[in-house]
Amino acid sequence: MSLEVGQMAPDFEAKNEKGELVKLSDYRGKKVVLYFYPKDATPGCTAQSCNLRDNYDALLKAGYVVLGVSSDGEKSHQKFIEKQALPFSLIADTDLKVHEAYGTWGEKSMYGRKYMGTIRTTFVIDEQGKIAEVIDKVDTQNHTAQILK
């Protein structure tokens, strides 16, 4: 299932790095950057997360809340946040329910080998909970610029 601009963003309930329950509907009235990334502490994911960290003030000024989502667990997220000094929460989607709701879990291929994994995608969600933008060609080095364009 692929989500499109104008559709309501699927609500979800999942735990963050602190084990706290996070619901997308808790952010109604705010703009949300919901970014799906494959794995904590890998080069591309670190570059993407650090780009959002380095430009976090600009995102806040523009009214955004930032939430990262991967299939890694809470402890992995805690270490990643601490090591990279990330100022936003990461969702531990170990059961892949959030990925499936957003269509970001699928077949990938590397060096001719096919496997299932996270399809790096960012959803920009407006104050009413509708998808305002889908970024599926993520530039990990300049991701904030893609969001704020």
Side-chain angles (χ1 to χ4, degrees):
M1 166 181 124
S2 69
L3 298 172
E4 296 177 11
V5 170
Q7 286 183 296
M8 286 301 289
D11 198 9
F12 62 81
E13 243 183 46
K15 289 187 177 178
N16 68 10
E17 74 283 353
K18 298 174 187 163
E20 301 164 336
L21 208 55
V22 175
K23 290 193 249 178
L24 181 63
S25 55
D26 290 343
Y27 297 98
R28 207 48 62 76
K30 296 182 180 185
K31 295 185 280 187
V32 177
V33 171
L34 186 66
Y35 77 101
F36 289 82
Y37 66 98
K39 190 126 187 75
D40 289 341
T42 56
C45 299
T46 299
Q48 181 180 12
S49 297
C50 289
N51 177 264
L52 294 169
R53 174 202 66 202
D54 294 347
N55 296 284
Y56 191 62
D57 287 343
L59 290 163
L60 286 179
K61 193 181 273 187
Y64 289 104
V65 170
V66 178
L67 295 172
V69 183
S70 86
S71 59
D72 292 317
E74 294 166 32
K75 280 193 178 12
S76 177
H77 282 343
Q78 285 170 359
K79 286 181 192 167
F80 189 44
I81 285 171
E82 286 170 22
K83 184 171 184 180
Q84 302 304 330
L86 302 179
F88 45 82
S89 264
L90 300 176
I91 306 296
D93 188 29
T94 55
D95 62 5
L96 303 175
K97 286 187 174 146
V98 183
H99 278 76
E100 287 167 3
Y102 281 82
T104 58
W105 185 260
E107 187 174 82
K108 298 170 73 171
S109 108
M110 186 185 298
Y111 307 118
R113 185 179 69 87
K114 294 196 180 307
Y115 63 97
M116 296 299 285
T118 300
I119 300 163
R120 190 185 307 273
T121 311
T122 296
F123 295 89
V124 179
I125 301 166
D126 71 15
E127 296 89 340
Q128 288 76 46
K130 288 187 179 170
I131 297 171
E133 187 176 5
V134 179
I135 303 170
D136 55 4
K137 290 183 178 28
V138 173
D139 177 350
T140 59
Q141 304 287 326
N142 300 295
H143 195 40
T144 304
Q146 290 181 295
I147 294 163
L148 294 176
K149 67 165 179 37

